[in-house]
PDB file of all heavy atoms in Angstrom:
ATOM      1  N   TYR A 456      22.348  -3.439  -6.984  1.00 95.00           N
ATOM      2  CA  TYR A 456      23.331  -2.520  -6.409  1.00 95.00           C
ATOM      3  C   TYR A 456      22.774  -1.986  -5.096  1.00 95.00           C
ATOM      4  O   TYR A 456      21.669  -1.426  -5.079  1.00 95.00           O
ATOM      5  CB  TYR A 456      23.635  -1.385  -7.384  1.00 95.00           C
ATOM      6  CG  TYR A 456      24.331  -1.902  -8.618  1.00 95.00           C
ATOM      7  CD1 TYR A 456      23.594  -2.227  -9.750  1.00 95.00           C
ATOM      8  CD2 TYR A 456      25.709  -2.127  -8.620  1.00 95.00           C
ATOM      9  CE1 TYR A 456      24.223  -2.738 -10.876  1.00 95.00           C
ATOM     10  CE2 TYR A 456      26.336  -2.637  -9.751  1.00 95.00           C
ATOM     11  CZ  TYR A 456      25.594  -2.945 -10.870  1.00 95.00           C
ATOM     12  OH  TYR A 456      26.219  -3.462 -11.978  1.00 95.00           O
ATOM     13  N   TYR A 457      23.514  -2.226  -4.038  1.00 94.00           N
ATOM     14  CA  TYR A 457      23.022  -1.850  -2.708  1.00 94.00           C
ATOM     15  C   TYR A 457      23.504  -0.443  -2.385  1.00 94.00           C
ATOM     16  O   TYR A 457      24.464  -0.244  -1.640  1.00 94.00           O
ATOM     17  CB  TYR A 457      23.467  -2.878  -1.669  1.00 94.00           C
ATOM     18  CG  TYR A 457      22.863  -4.231  -1.959  1.00 94.00           C
ATOM     19  CD1 TYR A 457      23.549  -5.190  -2.689  1.00 94.00           C
ATOM     20  CD2 TYR A 457      21.572  -4.536  -1.515  1.00 94.00           C
ATOM     21  CE1 TYR A 457      22.983  -6.423  -2.983  1.00 94.00           C
ATOM     22  CE2 TYR A 457      20.995  -5.762  -1.807  1.00 94.00           C
ATOM     23  CZ  TYR A 457      21.712  -6.698  -2.536  1.00 94.00           C
ATOM     24  OH  TYR A 457      21.129  -7.903  -2.822  1.00 94.00           O
ATOM     25  N   ILE A 458      22.811   0.524  -2.948  1.00 92.00           N
ATOM     26  CA  ILE A 458      23.268   1.905  -2.901  1.00 92.00           C
ATOM     27  C   ILE A 458      23.298   2.442  -1.474  1.00 92.00           C
ATOM     28  O   ILE A 458      24.183   3.203  -1.090  1.00 92.00           O
ATOM     29  CB  ILE A 458      22.348   2.756  -3.808  1.00 92.00           C
ATOM     30  CG1 ILE A 458      22.614   2.347  -5.251  1.00 92.00           C
ATOM     31  CG2 ILE A 458      22.581   4.254  -3.610  1.00 92.00           C
ATOM     32  CD1 ILE A 458      21.652   2.892  -6.248  1.00 92.00           C
ATOM     33  N   PHE A 459      22.326   2.049  -0.675  1.00 91.00           N
ATOM     34  CA  PHE A 459      22.275   2.534   0.722  1.00 91.00           C
ATOM     35  C   PHE A 459      22.739   1.460   1.715  1.00 91.00           C
ATOM     36  O   PHE A 459      22.328   1.467   2.869  1.00 91.00           O
ATOM     37  CB  PHE A 459      20.853   2.990   1.077  1.00 91.00           C
ATOM     38  CG  PHE A 459      20.398   4.173   0.259  1.00 91.00           C
ATOM     39  CD1 PHE A 459      19.279   4.082  -0.559  1.00 91.00           C
ATOM     40  CD2 PHE A 459      21.088   5.378   0.304  1.00 91.00           C
ATOM     41  CE1 PHE A 459      18.868   5.168  -1.326  1.00 91.00           C
ATOM     42  CE2 PHE A 459      20.684   6.463  -0.458  1.00 91.00           C
ATOM     43  CZ  PHE A 459      19.568   6.355  -1.267  1.00 91.00           C
ATOM     44  N   GLY A 460      23.573   0.544   1.249  1.00 89.00           N
ATOM     45  CA  GLY A 460      24.013  -0.541   2.129  1.00 89.00           C
ATOM     46  C   GLY A 460      23.084  -1.722   1.952  1.00 89.00           C
ATOM     47  O   GLY A 460      21.984  -1.586   1.410  1.00 89.00           O
ATOM     48  N   GLN A 461      23.558  -2.887   2.432  1.00 90.00           N
ATOM     49  CA  GLN A 461      22.781  -4.092   2.174  1.00 90.00           C
ATOM     50  C   GLN A 461      22.078  -4.602   3.419  1.00 90.00           C
ATOM     51  O   GLN A 461      22.719  -4.946   4.408  1.00 90.00           O
ATOM     52  CB  GLN A 461      23.697  -5.188   1.610  1.00 90.00           C
ATOM     53  CG  GLN A 461      22.927  -6.411   1.165  1.00 90.00           C
ATOM     54  CD  GLN A 461      23.803  -7.411   0.437  1.00 90.00           C
ATOM     55  OE1 GLN A 461      24.971  -7.148   0.177  1.00 90.00           O
ATOM     56  NE2 GLN A 461      23.236  -8.561   0.114  1.00 90.00           N
ATOM     57  N   GLY A 462      20.760  -4.637   3.357  1.00 86.00           N
ATOM     58  CA  GLY A 462      19.971  -5.355   4.361  1.00 86.00           C
ATOM     59  C   GLY A 462      20.047  -4.801   5.775  1.00 86.00           C
ATOM     60  O   GLY A 462      19.797  -5.532   6.728  1.00 86.00           O
ATOM     61  N   GLY A 463      20.380  -3.538   5.945  1.00 87.00           N
ATOM     62  CA  GLY A 463      20.499  -2.985   7.306  1.00 87.00           C
ATOM     63  C   GLY A 463      19.206  -3.095   8.096  1.00 87.00           C
ATOM     64  O   GLY A 463      19.201  -3.567   9.243  1.00 87.00           O
ATOM     65  N   ALA A 464      18.098  -2.710   7.473  1.00 85.00           N
ATOM     66  CA  ALA A 464      16.815  -2.752   8.179  1.00 85.00           C
ATOM     67  C   ALA A 464      16.406  -4.200   8.407  1.00 85.00           C
ATOM     68  O   ALA A 464      15.851  -4.547   9.461  1.00 85.00           O
ATOM     69  CB  ALA A 464      15.751  -2.009   7.376  1.00 85.00           C
ATOM     70  N   ALA A 465      16.695  -5.029   7.410  1.00 84.00           N
ATOM     71  CA  ALA A 465      16.345  -6.446   7.525  1.00 84.00           C
ATOM     72  C   ALA A 465      17.082  -7.080   8.713  1.00 84.00           C
ATOM     73  O   ALA A 465      16.505  -7.821   9.515  1.00 84.00           O
ATOM     74  CB  ALA A 465      16.699  -7.168   6.231  1.00 84.00           C
ATOM     75  N   ARG A 466      18.385  -6.757   8.841  1.00 85.00           N
ATOM     76  CA  ARG A 466      19.175  -7.309   9.943  1.00 85.00           C
ATOM     77  C   ARG A 466      18.649  -6.823  11.281  1.00 85.00           C
ATOM     78  O   ARG A 466      18.488  -7.582  12.229  1.00 85.00           O
ATOM     79  CB  ARG A 466      20.647  -6.887   9.821  1.00 85.00           C
ATOM     80  CG  ARG A 466      21.520  -7.978   9.281  1.00 85.00           C
ATOM     81  CD  ARG A 466      22.986  -7.652   9.441  1.00 85.00           C
ATOM     82  NE  ARG A 466      23.330  -6.277   9.095  1.00 85.00           N
ATOM     83  CZ  ARG A 466      23.522  -5.850   7.854  1.00 85.00           C
ATOM     84  NH1 ARG A 466      23.406  -6.688   6.836  1.00 85.00           N
ATOM     85  NH2 ARG A 466      23.826  -4.593   7.596  1.00 85.00           N
ATOM     86  N   TYR A 467      18.317  -5.515  11.318  1.00 87.00           N
ATOM     87  CA  TYR A 467      17.795  -4.974  12.568  1.00 87.00           C
ATOM     88  C   TYR A 467      16.504  -5.696  12.945  1.00 87.00           C
ATOM     89  O   TYR A 467      16.302  -6.086  14.102  1.00 87.00           O
ATOM     90  CB  TYR A 467      17.528  -3.464  12.459  1.00 87.00           C
ATOM     91  CG  TYR A 467      16.625  -3.007  13.573  1.00 87.00           C
ATOM     92  CD1 TYR A 467      17.107  -2.916  14.880  1.00 87.00           C
ATOM     93  CD2 TYR A 467      15.275  -2.777  13.345  1.00 87.00           C
ATOM     94  CE1 TYR A 467      16.263  -2.575  15.915  1.00 87.00           C
ATOM     95  CE2 TYR A 467      14.425  -2.439  14.369  1.00 87.00           C
ATOM     96  CZ  TYR A 467      14.924  -2.339  15.656  1.00 87.00           C
ATOM     97  OH  TYR A 467      14.087  -2.025  16.689  1.00 87.00           O
ATOM     98  N   ALA A 468      15.624  -5.874  11.951  1.00 85.00           N
ATOM     99  CA  ALA A 468      14.329  -6.507  12.221  1.00 85.00           C
ATOM    100  C   ALA A 468      14.563  -7.864  12.873  1.00 85.00           C
ATOM    101  O   ALA A 468      13.931  -8.204  13.880  1.00 85.00           O
ATOM    102  CB  ALA A 468      13.540  -6.656  10.922  1.00 85.00           C
TER     103      ALA A 468
END
Side-chain angles (χ1 to χ4, degrees):
Y456 294 94
Y457 297 95
I458 291 170
F459 296 120
Q461 187 172 355
R466 258 192 316 279
Y467 163 73

